[in-house]
Amino acid sequence: MRVVRVLLAAAVGALALAGCAPVQSGSTSSAKDEKSGQLKVWLFDEVNRGPKEEVVKQAVSEFQAAHAGVTVDVQYIQVSTRAERFKAAFSDAKSAPDVAEFGNTDLAGYVAAGGFADLGQDVAAWSDGKDLSPRVTDTAKVDGKTYGVPWYVGIRALFYRTDVFAELGIAPPATLDDIAATARRIRAAKPDLLGISVGGKYTYGMLPFLWAQGGDLAAQQGGKFKSTVDSAEARAGIAKYTELLRDDSCPPAQCAGNGGDASVEAFRAGKAAMTIGGNFNRTAVDSSAAAGKYAIVPLPGKTAGSIAPAFAGGNLLGVTRSTDRRTLAVQFVELLGGKQYQQKMYQAMGNLPTFTDLQNTVAAEKPVEKPFIDTLNAGTRFVPVTPGWAKVDAQGVLPTMLQQVASGAQDVNTATAAAAQQMNSAFGS
Amino acid sequence: MAFAYLAPTLLVLAGLLGYPIYQLVLISLYDYNQEQVSGNAPLNFLGLGNYQKLLSDKQFWTVLAQTVGFAAVCVAGTLLVGTALAVLATRVRAVPRTLLFLAALGAWATPAVAGSTIWLFLFDANFGLVNEVLSGIGLHGMAGFSWTYGQWTAFGLVAAQVIWCSFPFVMVTLYAGIRAIPGEVVEAAALDGASTTRIARSVILPLLRPLLLVVTIQSIIWDFKIFTQIYVMTNGGGIAGRNLVLNVYAYQQAFAASEYGLGASIGVVTTVLLLAITVVYLRVLKRSGEVL
């Protein structure tokens, strides 16, 4: 133990003497605004990247043709390691891109780290900008400032197997309460099927239940966020959702560990009668065991005919604060994020556009997208816009809460109280 | 004069070990998040605040206890399997011995992520070979059984994987140790009428003691720091985090959430614990008369 004590004493002594502090990389905003050279762009890699790459290539050639002496270097980064990549980029301007695609739930953390530039005036002056859906634009804002152009949105709805429903002679659930009853009825009649495929890690599948009951994740009080998952309404929603994670609809041993992808995967494998899936899952389901045997409806709300508020997930295109080519970067964002290329991205990848007029065209031309657009228009909600949310997300606070209830280790009140405490601690620091 | 000879080593150690530990301790005393790293927020000196937060967290103690228990089971299992197979290897002919060594070295050489994933495939609830075989031999309850759901089955599965990939080190080391025991010593004991168990207990075991100590301490340090197997096989710590061990907990709570200050304090606590184990180890070695 003496070694330890000596080491500790030495370290503390060195601290006291030198008065040192851990390294900080200093302000990252750049004063330069060059009009030529290389523009570095980071986009997310996808499972099936080909079509996306094709559209981006067109945008790059168009941009390079219009700007002599400018080259665009596009890098595709992995979603799973994005946190490390972005952290490194914010700490060292040299390794940072000029333009980046990123998820809107990560925005608050990135802005707090000083990573992205305020694009409010650029978007206001942009001809396409006025048609951006206000609900979606809100997910690009922190404290009233806009830090990105919404590139596409992801909306979830209820997928169900038409053949199973027809065979059992039942209709898709009309209210949120009906979902559990329908799921139980199907599993009782067909024990090989999950009544509904959801998961203990599927936070975005759970949130509509919480919101539909009138609950929310957090409330802002005097500039600080305070968790409200332990409110009566939120608890009611969480109870409704976890009711699905039982042996009579989606057994915890199979479902408790699942996130969104795994939940949809069970539906794709033909092992579930319902699931909560996104418009971005549609192509994958169309090439699976469930192809041609399923339909999509908006996730019903508390009363018949209403729609449960969906999570407004989606990706933004932003300009880093450290860029040396701000004007060029904004122009590239406006090209790739503009109507023309959003339309192309929709055709290539099925990504829902963020412009109201484009959304209406899509819904009119493609009935299969209508449930998603209807859900979007019925009003979407979002996670708390604070850097604390990134911590809540990384620490898996909500999945742990759902899994505690699903596994029977804790009841809803205990689990939500613990989650609220952890969320407050993340918001507080 | 002695210091002059040691200087190059000390310099390398100071640079590669001292400086990182210094930074680790330093960071653990601050509120140091991504905002502070990229210079967008002022530094806030917390003193022992991070340690206080950590030590007052009930989950930390649960995770620490789980880590100790899990490491203990892994170490005991590794030593047991490794020793048994080392003894077996000294008793069989060349061909089976070569096969045994090839199999062991294969397990040893498999990267942790790949090994964990393969085990997951084998133990998959619906498509796994293990459940198929078990239900095939009449245990119908095992069809669709999820090994990773329950806390104890999940820990058991991961422990088995850890033992599988770390017993070869013990086996190879002890095999070499047993082979190095002079044949005359064993022969003399046998001539004096000692039974096989008596020879094993009073002759072979004392001669192997130094080696056993080394592999034990090595295993303790490795298994205490386990990350990959838990992270991959229980999908980041199991249902509701009930399969978390210290390193995965540190990663999830601190590094993924960009709370580097808190993460550094967990690092310091782990380092101190392992240093304590090492010091005990050195003491024991000294007492047993080994020259260091």
Side-chain angles (χ1 to χ4, degrees), chain A residues 1-4 7-8 11-12 14-15 18-28 83-84 86-88 90-91 109 111-115 201 252-254 256-258 271 321 387 390-392 394-396 399-401 403-404 406-409 422 425-426 429, chain B residues 19 21-23 25-43 45 51 53 57 59 125-127 144-146 148-149 234-242 251-260 262 268 271-272 275-276 279 283:
Chain A
M1 288 315 283
R2 211 170 55 228
V3 185
V4 181
L7 265 183
L8 277 180
V12 173
L15 273 182
C20 289
V23 283
Q24 288 192 288
S25 58
S27 176
T28 51
E84 286 75 19
F86 276 107
K87 281 173 194 172
F90 299 156
S91 305
V111 169
K201 283 193 166 180
Q254 276 179 64
N258 288 350
K271 290 185 166 185
R321 208 155 66 100
K391 286 182 198 168
V392 174
Q395 295 175 342
T400 301
M401 172 186 81
Q403 292 177 336
Q404 294 282 22
S407 64
Q422 277 179 293
S425 132
S429 57
Chain B
Y19 183 69
I21 289 184
Y22 163 72
Q23 279 289 337
V25 173
L26 190 63
I27 289 173
S28 76
L29 302 176
Y30 282 85
D31 181 19
Y32 194 58
N33 300 334
Q34 187 56 45
E35 294 96 288
Q36 280 84 14
V37 178
S38 46
N40 212 39
L43 274 172
F45 183 78
Y51 294 93
K53 187 172 167 191
D57 183 359
Q59 202 190 0
N126 297 312
F127 313 108
F145 178 79
S146 172
T148 50
Y149 177 66
T234 68
N235 200 359
I239 302 299
R242 58 191 178 191
Y251 173 76
Q252 184 201 56
Q253 292 293 308
F255 292 104
S258 302
E259 290 214 31
Y260 304 121
L262 183 66
V268 171
T271 311
V272 169
L275 264 181
V279 168
R283 284 261 168 96

Side-chain angles (χ1 to χ4, degrees), chain A residues 174-227:
Chain A
T175 67
L176 211 54
D177 289 1
D178 284 350
I179 295 179
T182 311
R184 277 194 289 265
R185 194 169 154 194
I186 295 167
R187 189 162 167 82
K190 290 181 165 290
D192 286 348
L193 283 182
L194 299 174
I196 181 167
S197 174
V198 286
K201 283 193 166 180
Y202 196 0
T203 311
Y204 301 133
M206 175 276 288
L207 286 176
F209 289 74
L210 186 150
W211 286 324
Q213 296 289 337
D216 204 352
L217 287 170
Q220 215 168 354
Q221 282 178 353
K224 255 196 173 181
F225 278 92
K226 194 174 176 305
S227 173

